């Protein structure tokens, strides 16, 4: 029986004095022996935390007891061990950086796409007047995506607004957006509505909830996650692998970060190329003086930044 859990969640809800809240919340998480990464902003919370089941239960109870976050929905995975090394809780301007100067035009509490539960999303995806839009980054959708999904060439979600013009041709369609846990879709669907798309939906709970409640059917490949698991299986009905090794083109589902920290590129890399290049994306990175030792996993703990809201 697995003794630990990983919780993925978000909540768009205004937080007064959010920077102080972040500092206090870090102390609270430490008191529960949790590890993970939480972003706090004036607009709400975005987090993934991991720890013993009882500690995770206490954390969820505390979040739900706060009336600001009572609506928070947790995606819960049972895991063999905590999926982070340290605990970070940081204040930022947004819980998902939109790249917009005027963020007031995409307030998910005022207007966002129609939420589709996994069963409803599954029923709609094959309809002729529907397009499925992946709002995640390149390295995420290269590892796994829904069958026939439209993917965008973006490195970060803040690049999404620049891609709206490319989607104009789909204004007369039903646009079904999806992401890992739902948080990016809240802003992506709101922005599409702002630009005149009239029939916009979003997969409630994202890929993770779809896997749990709908078996992940027609999600091809694996789902990238932002902890040391790197990728998780979603599809238990008709699974497949769609990603290929960045170096040799062999079909591979293994996602890594380049061992050169100044590159840190997210790539799919097979074990043979990983061994040959010592976890680097290229020979140039392999020869870099700061190259991190490759242990086969391709996951590296980030170098702590000199800020007050991180465990040293």
């Amino acid at each position: 029986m697995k003794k630990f859990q990983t919780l993925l969640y978000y909540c768009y809800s205004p937080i007064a004095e959010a920077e102080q809240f972040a500092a206090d919340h870090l102390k609270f998480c430490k008191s529960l022996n949790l590890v993970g990464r939480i972003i706090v902003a004036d607009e709400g919370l975005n987090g993934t935390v991991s720890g013993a089941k009882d500690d995770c239960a206490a954390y969820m109870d505390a979040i739900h007891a706060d009336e600001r976050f009572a609506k928070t929905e947790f995606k819960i995975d049972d895991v063999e061990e905590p999926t982070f090394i340290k605990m970070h809780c940081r204040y930022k301007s947004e819980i998902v950086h939109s790249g917009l100067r005027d963020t007031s035009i995409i307030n998910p509490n005022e207007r966002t796409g129609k939420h589709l539960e996994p069963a409803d999303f599954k029923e709609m995806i094959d309809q002729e007047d529907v397009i499925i839009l992946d709002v995640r980054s390149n390295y995420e959708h290269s590892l796994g995506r829904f069958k026939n999904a439209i993917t965008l060439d973006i490195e970060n979600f803040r690049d999404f607004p620049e891609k709206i013009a490319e989607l104009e041709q789909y204004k007369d369609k039903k646009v079904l957006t999806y992401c890992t846990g739902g948080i990016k879709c809240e802003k992506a669907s709101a922005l599409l509505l702002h630009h005149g798309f009239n029939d916009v939906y979003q997969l409630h709970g994202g890929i993770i909830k779809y896997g749990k409640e709908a078996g992940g059917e027609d999600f091809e490949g694996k789902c990238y996650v932002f902890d040391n698991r790197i990728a998780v299986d979603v599809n238990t009905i008709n699974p497949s692998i769609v990603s290929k090794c960045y170096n040799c083109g062999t079909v591979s589902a293994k996602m890594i970060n380049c061992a050169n920290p100044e590159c840190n590129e997210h790539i799919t890399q097979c074990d043979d190329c990983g061994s040959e290049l010592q976890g680097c994306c290229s020979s140039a990175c392999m020869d870099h003086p700061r190259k991190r030792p490759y242990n086969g996993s391709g996951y590296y703990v980030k170098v702590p930044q000199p800020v007050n809201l991180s465990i040293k």
Side-chain angles (χ1 to χ4, degrees):
M1 182 176 178
K2 296 177 180 178
K3 298 180 180 179
F4 301 94
Q5 291 180 328
T6 294
L7 313 176
L8 173 66
Y9 70 97
Y10 70 89
C11 184
Y12 284 99
S13 181
I15 302 175
E17 299 182 359
E19 192 164 2
Q20 182 60 50
F21 177 91
D24 295 339
H25 200 64
L26 175 63
K27 294 177 182 177
F28 174 64
C29 291
K30 289 172 62 178
S31 75
L32 293 176
N33 299 308
L34 297 177
V35 290
R37 183 177 67 95
I38 299 172
I39 298 172
V40 178
D42 297 342
E43 65 181 2
L45 296 173
N46 174 15
T48 307
V49 297
S50 189
K53 288 186 176 181
D54 288 347
D55 295 329
C56 286
Y59 182 78
M60 289 187 284
D61 287 344
I63 291 295
H64 286 146
D66 189 320
E67 62 181 11
R68 295 171 295 182
F69 315 127
K71 64 182 180 181
T72 303
E73 181 175 308
F74 288 89
K75 274 73 74 176
I76 305 170
D77 281 340
D78 293 328
V79 293
E80 296 287 352
E81 59 185 8
T83 55
F84 290 87
I85 303 299
K86 297 182 179 182
M87 185 71 230
H88 299 277
C89 186
R90 295 192 174 101
Y91 172 79
K92 294 189 177 183
S93 59
E94 297 177 82
I95 53 176
V96 173
H97 187 30
S98 65
L100 297 171
R101 291 184 178 180
D102 181 9
T103 58
S104 65
I105 65 174
I106 53 167
N107 183 346
N109 289 316
E110 295 179 356
R111 192 185 189 199
T112 190
K114 303 167 192 173
H115 286 63
L116 288 175
E117 294 302 322
D120 298 321
F121 183 89
K122 182 178 179 179
E123 186 176 322
M124 287 184 67
I125 55 178
D126 289 325
Q127 295 178 9
E128 290 186 5
D129 60 342
V130 162
I131 65 151
I132 309 166
L133 177 62
D134 192 318
V135 303
R136 301 173 302 153
S137 304
N138 288 334
Y139 62 88
E140 296 175 84
H141 61 64
S142 69
L143 183 65
R145 54 196 175 269
F146 277 102
K147 181 182 68 176
N148 299 325
I150 294 170
T151 58
L152 302 174
D153 182 14
I154 57 177
E155 293 299 318
N156 296 283
F157 183 71
R158 61 177 174 267
D159 301 324
F160 179 80
E162 299 175 1
K163 296 295 180 177
I164 297 294
E166 295 179 13
L167 302 172
E168 290 283 329
Q169 59 187 303
Y170 305 116
K171 273 193 171 181
D172 62 340
K173 301 282 189 178
K174 294 177 182 175
V175 181
L176 276 56
T177 66
Y178 74 88
C179 59
T180 306
I183 187 170
K184 293 177 180 177
C185 289
E186 300 280 10
K187 290 191 174 183
S189 63
L191 191 60
L192 289 169
L193 290 167
H194 175 76
H195 282 278
F197 290 75
N198 295 315
D199 216 357
V200 182
Y201 302 78
Q202 62 190 77
L203 174 57
H204 180 58
I207 299 163
I208 300 300
K209 185 175 182 180
Y210 185 83
K212 295 180 182 300
E213 296 187 8
E217 186 172 5
D218 290 331
F219 185 83
E220 301 173 330
K222 292 193 173 189
C223 180
Y224 185 93
V225 291
F226 296 87
D227 57 59
N228 63 11
R229 292 173 296 172
I230 303 178
V232 297
D233 292 318
V234 170
N235 191 333
T236 58
I237 296 175
N238 55 348
S240 61
I241 300 175
V242 296
S243 50
K244 295 181 179 181
C245 176
Y246 175 85
N247 301 105
C248 71
T250 301
V251 173
S252 175
K254 186 175 182 179
M255 175 69 75
I256 72 162
N257 291 94
C258 178
N260 172 9
E262 294 187 13
C263 171
N264 210 46
E265 184 76 20
H266 299 280
I267 61 169
T268 306
Q269 188 178 66
C270 69
D271 286 331
D272 287 344
C273 288
S275 296
E276 182 179 345
L277 293 170
Q278 298 177 36
C280 293
C281 67
S282 65
S283 297
C285 282
M286 185 171 64
D287 294 334
H288 195 279
R290 291 188 60 206
K291 186 188 79 66
R292 297 169 290 202
Y294 179 60
N295 63 7
S297 72
Y299 173 80
Y300 306 96
V301 178
K302 291 184 178 180
V303 177
Q305 299 179 12
V307 295
N308 294 329
L309 301 182
S310 297
I311 295 177
K312 301 299 183 181

